[in-house]
Amino acid sequence: MINPLRGMKDLTFDESQRFVHIVTTAIGIAKRYGYSYIETPILEETSLFKRSVGNSSDIVSKEMYQFEDKGGNDVCMRPEGTAGVVRAFVSAKLDRQPVKQKFYYYGPMFRYERPQKGRLREFHQFGCESFGEGSVYEDFTIITMLGQIFDTLGIGFDLQINSLGCTECMPPYKEKLVGFLTEIKEELCEDCNRRIGTNPIRVLDCKNKTCQSLLTTAPKLINDLCDSCDTDFKRLQTLLDKAGISYEVDTNLVRGLDYYNKTAFEFVSNDIGAQSAIAGGGRYDKLVEYLDGRPTPAVGFAVGIERIMELVQMPEPGKSGYYMGAMVPEAIEQVIMLANRKRASEKVTVEYTSKGFKSHMKGVDKANARYALLIGEDELANGTVWVKDLESKEEKTLPLSEIQEI
Ligand code: HAM
């Protein structure tokens, strides 16, 4: 028997229903906010992710599904969705249009991580990317929209926010941080030591307990933000307060991807174990330029679908559609023709074997059908059909010609 690869899984029955419910709910809300669907390839040039997610990030340096294709091209299965959407935005020259563009997407992402609960090698994201709006009102709006998605799905969350500054305030802060880290270098873990030289900001995010305690006195960027970043970050907090959305400012929230500036945020759940981030995002005003487009501010997020699968409250499935069956073999074709007609507009479950009444009613129950339509000996002789509405419990016998009215 061939099984799926480690860290990859099939979604069937209950899980696939949950998947569809999550995606359709999120799409419905994203559309209300003016987002339209974008589909980009799963396979991209490796350089795309190196330039956007960042060479020194764990995702690029350790976790890429990277290989040479038969044409000798260095390619990679996308580890996330933003880079591809930005590449598509630039490829289509949308950066040259004055209108603001908003896209949503969902699909598989690939990261060669050590699998554990909530951490897969192939997982799915639902994401939104908004281009052309530099105002912090858009950051607020996108956070609100994500909150609305979780509220609608019945999922509780904690919101963490931070500001990662901009090209004006980040470099001097980085220098200050490197100075601080160099002094405590000996006591930091191996990973942090490496990061001091490659990506010092990521040290703040280290999960090692000793590092965490050493970092409590590290300089904090929010104390060193430039006026514009400081004003925006304060405004974001005021807006969240006004909207009654609770949040926590987490100065160590740096995100695992290098393209962010200004607002960064994460939605976490306490109900799913160690891998508690259910969504993450933020502003990435320089990424379009890094990928050879014209300067275009942008902000977005992605939800990890598998992480919220267990949390989502599924709506009670109400009785719907039709169950049709024959109680004598001669009526089967009549039933099939009837089902074919009705399927033009309705969900129909058809039983191909002629059965007794009780057995059919079990089938009606299993199909969770609203209407049962049965044809027996009498109905066949009279050109009628027996109908029961399972909600009102009303039963009647109708001429076949009137069946469209049910
Ligand atoms: P990310 O934080 O790397 O951000 O991923 C977003 C979400 O994907 C995470 O919060 C988590 O729920 C889920 N996720 C990540 N890795 C795994 C995994 N190995 N197994 C299961 N779920 C996982 C991004 O990917 C950015 N592109 C988000 C973004 C969009 N920022 C701006 N626009």
Side-chain angles (χ1 to χ4, degrees), residues 80 82 111 113 118 120 125 129 255 259-260 277 300-301 307:
E80 59 104 49
T82 311
R111 295 184 192 176
E113 296 190 79
L120 291 153
Q125 287 184 344
E129 313 293 352
R255 310 275 300 125
Y259 47 64
Y260 294 109
F301 69 79
R307 293 226 178 133

Side-chain angles (χ1 to χ4, degrees), residues 23 44 77 85 88 107 111 121 185 192 200 204-205 250 271 282 292 309 321 334 339 351 370 377 405:
V23 171
E44 297 267 9
M77 313 263 277
V85 173
R111 295 184 192 176
R121 287 181 173 169
K185 203 172 159 133
C192 285
L204 297 174
D205 196 26
D250 179 355
D271 305 321
D292 305 320
M309 208 98 106
Q334 183 90 271
E351 173 55 60
R370 162 92 193 262
E377 207 170 340
E405 283 155 38

Side-chain angles (χ1 to χ4, degrees), residues 292-311:
D292 305 320
R294 293 192 179 165
T296 310
V299 57
F301 69 79
V303 178
I305 298 182
E306 282 84 355
R307 293 226 178 133
I308 59 169
M309 208 98 106
E310 280 172 32
L311 302 174

Side-chain angles (χ1 to χ4, degrees), residues 136-328:
V136 71
Y137 293 136
E138 188 69 350
D139 309 21
F140 166 73
T141 303
I142 215 163
I143 290 174
T144 318
M145 171 172 129
L146 185 49
Q148 224 173 68
I149 293 176
F150 288 133
D151 287 346
T152 310
L153 291 169
I155 296 172
F157 59 81
D158 287 331
L159 168 62
Q160 299 170 345
I161 58 169
N162 194 17
S163 175
L164 297 175
C166 64
T167 45
E168 193 183 317
C169 50
M170 179 50 107
Y173 167 73
K174 228 183 222 175
E175 234 173 80
K176 203 167 170 183
L177 181 66
V178 169
F180 170 85
L181 296 174
T182 312
E183 275 181 26
I184 55 164
K185 203 172 159 133
E186 309 295 304
E187 294 153 88
L188 292 170
C189 74
E190 211 179 296
D191 262 356
C192 285
N193 263 285
R194 189 175 37 81
R195 284 180 180 140
I196 296 176
T198 56
N199 198 349
I201 306 298
R202 286 282 295 168
V203 173
L204 297 174
D205 196 26
C206 181
K207 301 287 177 276
N208 181 307
K209 289 256 161 21
T210 319
C211 298
Q212 278 296 329
S213 65
L214 289 165
L215 290 166
T216 48
T217 53
K220 297 188 189 330
L221 176 59
I222 54 163
N223 299 329
D224 280 335
L225 291 173
C226 65
D227 284 350
S228 151
C229 291
D230 190 48
T231 308
D232 277 356
F233 194 47
K234 287 195 175 125
R235 183 160 293 148
L236 175 65
Q237 293 175 61
T238 311
L239 292 166
L240 291 170
D241 289 337
K242 275 190 182 160
I245 300 172
S246 44
Y247 59 89
E248 184 202 335
V249 175
D250 179 355
T251 50
N252 289 343
L253 175 71
V254 296
R255 310 275 300 125
L257 309 97
D258 289 353
Y259 47 64
Y260 294 109
N261 66 305
K262 292 199 168 184
T263 307
F265 56 85
E266 244 165 35
F267 282 66
V268 296
S269 161
N270 297 318
D271 305 321
I272 51 170
Q275 299 306 313
S276 59
I278 52 175
R283 190 160 269 290
Y284 51 94
D285 293 332
K286 295 285 169 202
L287 188 54
V288 177
E289 254 174 290
Y290 287 160
L291 296 177
D292 305 320
R294 293 192 179 165
T296 310
V299 57
F301 69 79
V303 178
I305 298 182
E306 282 84 355
R307 293 226 178 133
I308 59 169
M309 208 98 106
E310 280 172 32
L311 302 174
V312 59
Q313 283 167 22
M314 293 295 282
E316 270 300 308
K319 291 190 186 306
S320 69
Y322 293 70
Y323 173 100
M324 300 188 184
M327 290 190 289
V328 286

